[in-house]
Amino acid sequence: QVQLVESGGGLVQTGGSLRLSCAASGSIFSMAVMGWYRQAPGKQRELVARIGRGGNTNYADSVKGRFTISRDNAKNTVYLQMNSLKPEDTAVYYCRADLILGGGYWGQGTQVTVSS
């Protein structure tokens, strides 16, 4: 059973920073493209950032220049460093693993709240 466990969410003021972590169990990490998604109240879940097995990244336009995704394959962990946070970044953030052989897994989500 694959598990993705997120941590690092919380309440922060506008302009502040948070770092999210997602630890993956099992042996899937090295075979997965990892991503962070978010879902705000009343909105659809959206991609924030993804990182391939080789470290190539892509970001939503709304977070470019402020967020950085990274992965530590030795620790089976993916990170999302979030700087210059805005109230519109408030959402539940989800970690996702997309396996190169097909299928994917979601974490349980972690709340990020940015106060104005």
Side-chain angles (χ1 to χ4, degrees):
Q1 182 70 20
V2 175
Q3 284 190 319
L4 301 175
V5 179
E6 300 107 333
S7 61
L11 173 64
V12 66
Q13 292 185 334
T14 296
S17 297
L18 285 173
R19 188 175 84 152
L20 305 183
S21 300
C22 171
S25 66
S27 60
I28 65 144
F29 193 80
S30 63
M31 299 184 289
V33 175
M34 301 299 298
W36 286 97
Y37 292 72
R38 67 187 181 187
Q39 187 166 19
K43 295 188 177 181
Q44 290 188 329
R45 191 172 298 189
E46 63 176 2
L47 173 69
V48 176
R50 297 181 82 208
I51 184 166
R53 295 181 299 150
N56 52 301
T57 59
N58 62 287
Y59 296 90
D61 288 343
S62 59
V63 307
K64 284 180 180 176
R66 300 188 298 121
F67 290 11
T68 302
I69 189 171
S70 61
R71 64 191 294 164
D72 185 335
N73 290 333
K75 295 182 178 179
N76 289 354
T77 301
V78 61
Y79 304 97
L80 185 68
Q81 178 66 44
M82 305 185 293
N83 298 328
S84 301
L85 282 161
K86 305 175 182 180
E88 51 263 45
D89 295 317
T90 295
V92 178
Y93 283 71
Y94 296 90
C95 177
R96 178 168 173 85
D98 286 296
L99 304 184
I100 58 172
L101 297 178
Y105 300 88
W106 289 100
Q108 82 286 355
T110 185
Q111 177 70 46
V112 171
T113 302
V114 184
S115 64
S116 57

